[in-house]
Amino acid sequence: MISSFPPDSVGLVTPQILRFDEPLPLDCGRTLPGFELIYETYGALNADRSNAILICHALSGDHHAAGYHQADDSKPGWWDTSIGPGKPIDTRHFFVVCCNNLGGCKGSTGPVSINPDTGKPYGPNFPIVTVKDWVRSQARLADRLGITAWAAVIGGSLGGMQAMQWTIDFPDRIRHAVVIAAAPRLSTQNIAFNEVARQAILSDPDFHEGHYYEQGVIPRRGLMVARMLGHITYLSDEGMRARFGRELREGKLNFHFESEFEIESYLRHQGYSFVGRFDANTYLLMTKALDYFDPAADFDNDLAAAFRQAQARFLIISFISDWRFSPARSREIVKALVAAKRDVSYAEIPSTQGHDAFLMPIPRYFETFTAYMQRVAGEVSHDASLAKT
Amino acid sequence: MPPLLRPDLKIISEWIRPGSRILDLGCGDGALLAYLRDQRQTRGYGLEIDADKITRCIQAGVNVIHTDLEAGLSDFDDDSFDYVLMTQTLQTVRHTEWLLDEMLRVGREGVVTFPNFGHWKCRLQLALGGRMPVVKTLPHAWYNTPNIHLFTIRDFEQLCRDKGIQLLQCVVLDHAHRLSPGLQLFPNLLGEVALYHLGRP
């Protein structure tokens, strides 16, 4: 029943798929002969097509950012807290687009898709895609939707990296970039964590060098361990302590290796449920896209020089307890933007929720985010009224 | 129509060359930056630590960067701004002298405004009442005041002379930030708010 959705929800949404037949050259040197992108939209595109917003997803995200696919869905899209009528990304003002990235496993072309050359799933032969490749494919999506320039490109974590890349690669097609809980490139420690996650998958006997689809198995244990490890980096020590402490499930030590502490049970649950909804080859690709992201590398390792390409205005947000992409990493972005003389605002949000805070409706965070998006909405209306006169 | 403006903002704007690049330390709600942007076509950033004020800056379309001034301006290169402004902020920071140095490292010129502790009401309350002064420009009690470094116009000028900082222009105002000619005769006695335009040593 539609009436059962909260009033600030976008309600029932239906994903759409677009096929792109023009080959897409990739950073790795290979070319995708054609590809499909699955995406969702919320809100309405205005007459002069100036109110479109692109949402970029993070490592395990997809195109289902807000609303419900079915009336009885237990959970809405992954960023439903931020997208909807009256929410920071207000669908009464904006036309919001979110696609599953290339290499994904939720409907866009990726390792689970059929390789037209072989008639079999790409599997491990799917090319390693980069943030730049994604941005290039998202630009094709914008072309097809008739969107010359986004009012804003918005993302958290790996999504924020895509927003930054947009400002550098397509400066005249993005007016604002909102970059939340991101980093200008991964730290050594970040890459190290990703490598452990990959090794967990690669060393699973059921991985079969990525050809597990044909074997009728999935590298369940490896993907589960990868997700458990990742999850630790999304939370903060303080947040974990507050939520789980050293609580024992049965109230006593049992001197065995089954899950005893609540945190063990929680991580196992996160791992189990992830295996059911995510593909291991995609996980490998997404971690590589993270590792490779480094916009400064194209500009003699000068991030400010990279941002001198940009024309967009920026909002950068970080969270105090995020140690995966800490506030110091966001300040590196801000410093480079100031050196590049770009318009930027920056807010550091107190929170105990670690990296995952970017998904949470934290009042301070939402006040800042909403204030910025209202400015963007104001410009859009202004543009529209100019277009009419 | 621009809103009715406080005279101190207008005086500062007259010191600023059009099209300049500005950094405002402790920018509050961004009123000064918004005014300078509209009147002097300046560009730049405000630094602020208070979350509500950061939100108000964003609402005003002013670039604002969440910063703890006590940590200095290490994220800003030498000579990266034409002016660094510090309105009603210098008396609230711990490392006063260092922040002045930082200000004139990052900016080629500086503008500082502060409440004058040498005003006759402050002198009278301390001399005759024997109590720490509480006046309109310094409205807090001694135990809860954010103003942790209190100084007079003479003190400030002495520090600038000692450091070789150039005093390019100076205006004193009353507590309502009004300008009246009498104040300029005995600035340290009659001025409640002091505005200084500073140049590098």
Side-chain angles (χ1 to χ4, degrees):
Chain A
M1 269 190 39
I2 290 163
S3 60
S4 67
F5 296 126
D8 60 353
S9 165
V10 298
L12 270 186
V13 292
T14 309
Q16 291 162 279
I17 294 176
L18 273 177
R19 165 101 206 142
F20 299 82
D21 288 319
E22 197 193 328
L24 183 75
L26 302 172
D27 281 351
C28 64
R30 292 169 62 187
T31 298
L32 270 185
F35 62 95
E36 288 182 353
L37 289 179
I38 188 168
Y39 67 98
E40 290 182 0
T41 70
Y42 323 108
L45 190 59
N46 64 7
D48 61 356
R49 297 166 182 266
S50 64
N51 70 332
I53 288 195
L54 177 67
I55 306 293
C56 300
H57 70 72
L59 196 152
S60 62
D62 55 33
H63 55 286
H64 185 36
Y68 302 82
H69 284 160
Q70 264 135 25
D72 58 355
D73 281 356
S74 60
K75 276 200 278 185
W78 59 269
W79 214 11
D80 196 79
T81 50
S82 291
I83 304 164
K87 292 179 181 173
I89 303 166
D90 193 330
T91 48
R92 294 172 304 185
H93 305 304
F94 296 117
F95 175 66
V96 181
V97 179
C98 182
C99 71
N100 184 210
N101 284 335
L102 280 180
C105 54
K106 297 300 175 77
S108 291
T109 302
V112 294
S113 311
I114 299 298
N115 180 348
D117 295 341
T118 63
K120 286 197 253 177
Y122 278 101
N125 299 323
F126 194 85
I128 291 187
V129 283
T130 64
V131 169
K132 285 202 278 188
D133 294 330
W134 287 337
V135 167
R136 223 171 281 139
S137 68
Q138 290 159 354
R140 298 252 180 112
L141 176 62
D143 293 342
R144 289 281 284 279
L145 296 174
I147 295 158
T148 326
W150 300 104
V153 178
I154 304 174
S157 192
L158 178 56
M161 294 171 175
Q162 293 161 62
M164 280 188 271
Q165 195 70 54
W166 259 99
T167 70
I168 297 163
D169 291 353
F170 295 98
D172 53 349
R173 301 193 69 177
I174 163 171
R175 291 197 293 273
H176 292 268
V178 180
V179 178
I180 306 167
R185 61 181 183 184
L186 259 59
S187 69
T188 318
Q189 189 191 44
N190 292 146
I191 296 172
F193 275 113
N194 280 346
E195 172 57 6
V196 177
R198 281 191 293 267
Q199 283 304 324
I201 294 168
L202 296 168
S203 62
D204 187 315
D206 285 337
F207 184 64
H208 297 286
E209 292 176 323
H211 296 283
Y212 47 88
Y213 313 117
E214 293 114 274
Q215 309 287 329
V217 292
I218 49 174
R220 188 176 296 280
R221 286 157 292 181
L223 185 56
M224 184 178 147
V225 171
R227 179 62 172 178
M228 287 168 76
L229 179 73
H231 219 85
I232 296 169
T233 69
Y234 305 150
L235 305 175
S236 72
D237 186 24
E238 187 186 358
M240 272 181 153
R241 192 184 315 125
R243 192 162 158 197
F244 306 105
R246 290 176 53 90
E247 294 304 311
L248 292 161
R249 299 186 68 204
E250 294 177 17
K252 63 182 177 67
L253 298 174
N254 286 323
F255 298 91
H256 61 43
F257 296 111
E258 298 306 308
S259 85
E260 291 188 279
F261 291 95
E262 287 291 354
I263 182 62
E264 294 176 301
S265 151
Y266 171 80
L267 285 176
R268 285 183 195 197
H269 170 74
Q270 290 295 331
Y272 279 126
S273 63
F274 190 65
V275 168
R277 64 185 170 89
F278 212 82
D279 175 65
N281 281 320
T282 288
Y283 200 89
L284 294 174
L285 289 178
M286 296 287 158
T287 60
K288 274 290 176 188
L290 273 164
D291 290 1
Y292 287 177
F293 176 72
D294 186 4
D298 296 336
F299 297 88
D300 284 334
N301 292 313
D302 181 353
L303 188 61
F307 282 137
R308 268 182 216 114
Q309 313 303 309
Q311 295 170 23
R313 280 177 270 166
F314 291 78
L315 174 65
I316 313 291
I317 296 176
S318 71
F319 301 90
I320 300 289
S321 58
D322 182 354
W323 57 279
R324 182 182 174 91
F325 297 146
S326 70
R329 305 309 313 279
S330 282
R331 282 197 298 268
E332 286 175 40
I333 299 168
V334 174
K335 183 179 178 176
L337 285 168
V338 169
K341 303 187 178 179
R342 301 300 98 168
D343 283 312
V344 54
S345 285
Y346 170 59
E348 231 168 72
I349 309 296
S351 116
T352 58
Q353 283 135 318
H355 186 59
D356 263 355
F358 86 86
L359 296 166
M360 315 284 179
I362 299 164
R364 279 270 179 245
Y365 166 33
F366 271 30
E367 279 161 26
T368 308
F369 196 2
T370 302
Y372 194 86
M373 293 314 295
Q374 281 171 348
R375 289 291 300 191
V376 178
E379 288 172 19
V380 166
S381 316
H382 184 63
D383 289 351
S385 60
L386 280 180
K388 274 181 218 136
T389 53
Chain B
M1 279 287 290
L4 198 64
L5 218 91
R6 284 173 18 210
D8 56 334
L9 303 194
K10 192 162 180 298
I11 292 164
I12 292 169
S13 87
E14 284 162 6
W15 293 346
I16 305 286
R17 283 179 300 276
S20 300
R21 223 167 114 76
I22 310 265
L23 186 67
D24 187 358
L25 312 185
C27 66
D29 61 6
L32 176 57
L33 280 171
Y35 183 75
L36 294 176
R37 174 193 66 202
D38 298 341
Q39 302 297 315
R40 286 283 183 268
Q41 297 76 50
T42 58
R43 294 190 62 186
Y45 312 89
L47 306 186
E48 183 52 63
I49 195 166
D50 182 89
D52 289 327
K53 289 174 181 167
I54 289 171
T55 302
R56 288 214 291 282
C57 285
I58 289 171
Q59 284 165 342
V62 166
N63 290 328
V64 61
I65 298 172
H66 193 143
T67 307
D68 180 4
L69 291 178
E70 303 291 4
L73 304 177
S74 57
D75 280 350
F76 299 91
D77 296 332
D78 295 1
D79 276 325
S80 50
F81 291 89
D82 298 307
Y83 301 88
V84 177
L85 318 179
M86 216 179 335
T87 58
Q88 302 290 321
T89 300
L90 193 61
Q91 77 280 1
T92 66
V93 296
R94 282 181 61 204
H95 307 289
T96 317
E97 187 183 357
W98 180 57
L99 199 56
L100 267 179
D101 293 338
E102 281 284 88
M103 182 178 189
L104 290 171
R105 171 182 71 78
V106 169
R108 281 177 280 277
E109 292 171 32
V111 171
V112 170
T113 81
F114 59 87
N116 174 31
F117 202 66
H119 184 256
W120 65 268
K121 280 185 192 160
C122 294
R123 299 189 194 195
L124 213 61
Q125 287 186 28
L126 187 59
L128 299 182
R131 303 280 305 273
M132 278 300 279
V134 176
V135 294
K136 287 201 169 108
T137 52
L138 292 162
H140 301 87
W142 64 272
Y143 51 83
N144 66 6
T145 180
N147 303 311
I148 56 176
H149 278 119
L150 295 168
F151 52 100
T152 71
I153 286 174
R154 255 195 219 171
D155 289 330
F156 183 71
E157 292 196 353
Q158 184 64 51
L159 176 65
C160 291
R161 271 195 298 273
D162 291 348
K163 298 179 74 64
I165 293 171
Q166 299 178 63
L167 301 170
L168 301 175
Q169 298 176 83
C170 167
V171 171
V172 297
L173 305 173
D174 69 11
H175 61 83
H177 294 89
R178 281 182 306 241
L179 191 64
S180 72
L183 296 183
Q184 316 304 325
L185 292 175
F186 301 99
N188 197 32
L189 194 63
L190 302 178
E192 288 171 272
V193 175
L195 281 59
Y196 278 88
H197 180 190
L198 308 175
R200 279 182 175 167

